[in-house]
Amino acid sequence: MTYDPHNPPRGEARPRRVAFFALEGVQSLDVTGPMEAFAVSTRFGAAYDLVLCSEDGSSIGTHAGLSLGPAVPLASLSEPIDTLVICGGSEAAMLAARDAGTTLDVVRVQASRARRVVSICTGAFVLAAAGLLDGRRAATHWNAADRFRALFPQVDLDADAIYVSDPPFYSSAGVTAGIDLSLALIEEDHGARIALSVARELVLFLRRPGG
């Protein structure tokens, strides 16, 4: 039977591939926070295959001066993608991505192959620039909300939300909110028991109060 990432069989044992795409200057927690949540979930019975992607396969320099790698080129992913995660970064990097037609083309292609598409923090700028959030609800970092609305008036931005679900697109507010969204996605995939186990392991709220 052919594996279809858009309609995985119930009880599917094959790990769900989660691809994290980041640009230079990314906030390290925008990558490592969600990645750790998915990785920890595998200790409790979830099945995920995590892969870090950059534009050209080189390691990714973060805002904090760390280098994340190894990475593979986003365009090189040919196996089924369950979840494509676009991680946020500096506003300058996000605006550069907006003008990088080749990068946006790759994001569009890989998003079309994924069962769901996620943005963390200012990663929403990349999805919006690719035209993928037109007419949809979305979230981003509160400090970037005014710039986002000015650039992408066709997107219904909720600057007060921790995360927004508008399937197949999901978006989160700044930095640690990406972990909140990741817990929600793990719960969607594998149920509350595993999501709660991850939250306890990471000493987090399963559902954070407030906006």
Side-chain angles (χ1 to χ4, degrees), residues 28 38 53 94 163:
S28 53
F38 281 101
C53 304
M94 296 301 102
Y163 60 82

Side-chain angles (χ1 to χ4, degrees), residues 21-24 53-58 60 72-75 97 100 102-103 106:
F21 175 61
L23 298 164
E24 283 291 306
C53 304
S54 63
E55 291 183 283
D56 60 3
S58 59
I60 305 158
V72 301
L74 179 62
T102 302
T103 298
V106 172

